[in-house]
Amino acid sequence: MTEVKTKVFRKAEILEQAARLFLERGFKSTSVRDIAAAVGIEASSLYSHIKSKEDILVLLCDACAERYTGVLSKIMATPGQTGIDQLKQILSFHIDNAFQDPTSSTVFSDEWKNLPSERIEKFLIDRKEYENKWQAVIQDCIRQGSIREGEPAVIMHTLISSVRWIHHTKRKFTDKEQKSAKETILSMLFDGLAKR
Amino acid sequence: MTEVKTKVFRKAEILEQAARLFLERGFKSTSVRDIAAAVGIEASSLYSHIKSKEDILVLLCDACAERYTGVLSKIMATPGQTGIDQLKQILSFHIDNAFQDPTSSTVFSDEWKNLPSERIEKFLIDRKEYENKWQAVIQDCIRQGSIREGEPAVIMHTLISSVRWIHHTKRKFTDKEQKSAKETILSMLFDGLAKR
DNA sequence: CCTACCGATCGGTAGG
DNA sequence: CCTACCGATCGGTAGG
């Protein structure tokens, strides 16, 4: 029993350290020896827990895609909300997530490109599903007349991109600064930077 | 004379092909053999034109930093403009540049991280200069009361990031679509996504 | 600009 | 989980 528990734990530890290193240096610049050293074992010992270096990225990407799509589904399924409420909630989630879980943000937005080619296809399908949800909400907003016209894809990419600096910043934000940054970003994007 | 001219030309060709590959696959995933093949020579022949693989990145980063900072200086030095005019011009430049010269966008926003450590320091100084210009314009706007309050750094990062999807997109935009996307982005950021 | 080659590092395996 | 090790690929050099 203890043995099994330890093994699951070790695997989680490997995934966590790998994700941290992928954020700091990127997948290609992180060697299996780096990951092993971060966990405190020899490189060859990693292979009792994972199949390959790429397998780590596959596991991380799958977990992210599932989680992100799940959050969007949940927001969209909550009754009694306008489209623009939903759009704000989706963006809020991305901002909070980038501050609190920067490693998953980097995997989902940058490092997936290093997936083995057979796996990229599958990931792109998952991401398409996620993007379709975004665009469905944006379409709703346009139809309801609550946001200005524009190609949904362009609006989506601009919104998603606009928070992509957060997970890469080295600056430490206090909770108060995070809240303040979030308000600034949301008001820029929804109410506009220009005063009227 | 012909020989010298050819040599300069070859070097430009190497830099161009390398930049293209860095955009497609990233610096770390591009080997000197890939670059040589793209130019149509053997890997070892590259070294008559460049000192090292990292040297290519140094040359590209330096050129970018100089150009970007120069454009910002020029915009800021043009008389008879409000702060918000300048801010819109700066962002317009970034949008146009991302569409027309995606390789320089990727070098300046992503790949500089692969610079050799002695060179990163110098690059960060150059980029700080560039960011200071951005923030000076943003500060002006806040003082003039033409944009809403917010930490200049947060506003700057959000604006810069918001167009970072452009140079990574594989979709081909026609001139008309580029113009339309640019208008959507500018109106989102300055006038707000929400209708009033 | 090429042929021939090198040391270092990579991801990964065998066997215990 | 470790020791010992391997083939492939990397950036780069010598010499012409």
Side-chain angles (χ1 to χ4, degrees):
Chain A
M1 200 56 198
T2 314
E3 201 183 286
V4 173
K5 214 173 161 185
T6 317
K7 220 172 176 185
V8 172
F9 207 76
R10 258 296 194 236
K11 183 163 184 175
E13 202 183 349
I14 290 167
L15 293 179
E16 191 189 321
Q17 293 299 322
R20 213 201 70 232
L21 290 165
F22 295 166
L23 169 63
E24 278 172 26
R25 322 178 188 175
F27 178 79
K28 286 278 180 184
S29 300
T30 303
S31 70
V32 292
R33 283 156 178 86
D34 293 333
I35 299 168
V39 175
I41 59 179
E42 291 300 316
S44 60
S45 306
L46 287 174
Y47 293 87
S48 330
H49 300 96
I50 49 124
K51 278 182 292 201
S52 64
K53 185 191 170 188
E54 280 175 338
D55 181 46
I56 296 177
L57 191 59
V58 169
L59 294 170
L60 292 172
C61 283
D62 279 357
C64 269
E66 204 178 319
R67 185 157 142 269
Y68 282 39
T69 306
V71 170
L72 261 62
S73 295
K74 206 170 168 185
I75 290 173
M76 289 169 79
T78 308
Q81 291 188 117
T82 61
I84 207 162
D85 284 339
Q86 293 179 339
L87 202 52
K88 281 181 185 172
Q89 278 177 51
I90 293 172
L91 199 62
S92 283
F93 160 69
H94 278 270
I95 296 171
D96 292 338
N97 190 69
F99 276 121
Q100 283 150 36
D101 184 16
T103 63
S104 89
S105 294
T106 202
V107 161
F108 197 71
S109 74
D110 308 307
E111 301 305 331
W112 64 267
K113 281 166 198 161
N114 296 298
L115 243 18
S117 48
E118 339 89 59
R119 272 289 178 164
I120 282 214
E121 208 177 335
K122 198 241 172 203
F123 179 82
L124 287 180
I125 292 170
D126 290 347
R127 214 181 54 154
K128 194 77 204 157
E129 190 189 338
Y130 155 86
E131 291 187 353
N132 284 343
K133 286 181 189 296
W134 261 99
Q135 292 185 34
V137 175
I138 291 170
Q139 284 281 23
D140 271 355
C141 291
I142 294 176
R143 256 186 251 109
Q144 291 167 9
S146 57
I147 70 171
R148 57 183 76 232
E149 315 261 308
E151 215 188 300
V154 170
I155 295 173
M156 176 194 72
H157 285 304
T158 303
L159 290 176
I160 294 175
S161 265
S162 68
V163 301
R164 268 182 68 176
W165 60 275
I166 297 173
H167 66 265
H168 280 121
T169 192
K170 275 173 187 161
R171 173 175 154 196
K172 290 285 163 213
F173 281 73
T174 61
D175 285 354
K176 206 174 162 184
E177 284 170 333
Q178 278 183 33
K179 211 183 147 195
S180 157
K182 185 174 167 177
E183 274 168 22
T184 298
I185 297 167
L186 287 173
S187 87
M188 274 178 73
L189 296 169
F190 285 93
D191 303 319
L193 197 49
K195 263 194 200 166
R196 254 136 323 182
Chain B
M1 201 54 197
T2 316
E3 202 183 287
V4 174
K5 213 171 163 187
T6 318
K7 219 170 177 188
V8 171
F9 207 75
R10 258 298 194 238
K11 183 161 184 177
E13 204 183 347
I14 290 167
L15 294 180
E16 192 190 318
Q17 293 300 321
R20 212 201 70 231
L21 290 165
F22 296 166
L23 169 62
E24 278 172 26
R25 324 178 185 174
F27 178 80
K28 285 279 177 183
S29 300
T30 303
S31 70
V32 291
R33 283 156 179 86
D34 293 333
I35 299 168
V39 175
I41 58 178
E42 292 299 317
S44 60
S45 306
L46 288 174
Y47 293 87
S48 329
H49 301 96
I50 49 122
K51 278 183 291 201
S52 64
K53 183 190 172 190
E54 281 174 340
D55 181 45
I56 296 177
L57 191 59
V58 169
L59 293 170
L60 292 172
C61 284
D62 279 356
C64 269
E66 205 178 318
R67 185 156 143 270
Y68 282 40
T69 307
V71 170
L72 262 62
S73 295
K74 206 170 168 186
I75 290 173
M76 290 170 79
T78 308
Q81 292 187 119
T82 60
I84 207 162
D85 284 339
Q86 293 179 338
L87 202 52
K88 282 180 185 173
Q89 278 178 50
I90 293 173
L91 199 62
S92 283
F93 160 69
H94 278 270
I95 295 171
D96 292 339
N97 190 68
F99 276 121
Q100 283 151 36
D101 183 17
T103 62
S104 89
S105 293
T106 202
V107 161
F108 197 71
S109 75
D110 309 306
E111 300 305 331
W112 64 267
K113 281 166 198 161
N114 296 298
L115 243 16
S117 49
E118 340 88 60
R119 272 288 178 163
I120 283 218
E121 207 176 334
K122 198 242 173 203
F123 179 82
L124 287 180
I125 292 170
D126 290 347
R127 213 179 57 155
K128 193 79 204 157
E129 191 189 336
Y130 156 86
E131 291 187 352
N132 284 342
K133 287 181 190 295
W134 262 98
Q135 292 186 33
V137 175
I138 291 170
Q139 284 281 21
D140 270 356
C141 292
I142 295 176
R143 255 186 250 112
Q144 291 167 8
S146 57
I147 68 171
R148 56 184 77 232
E149 314 263 308
E151 215 188 299
V154 170
I155 294 172
M156 176 195 71
H157 285 304
T158 304
L159 290 176
I160 294 174
S161 264
S162 68
V163 301
R164 270 182 68 176
W165 60 275
I166 298 173
H167 66 266
H168 280 121
T169 192
K170 275 172 188 162
R171 173 176 155 194
K172 291 283 162 214
F173 281 74
T174 62
D175 286 355
K176 205 174 163 183
E177 284 171 333
Q178 278 183 33
K179 211 183 147 195
S180 157
K182 185 174 167 177
E183 274 167 22
T184 299
I185 297 168
L186 287 172
S187 87
M188 272 179 74
L189 295 169
F190 285 93
D191 303 319
L193 196 51
K195 264 196 198 162
R196 251 138 324 184

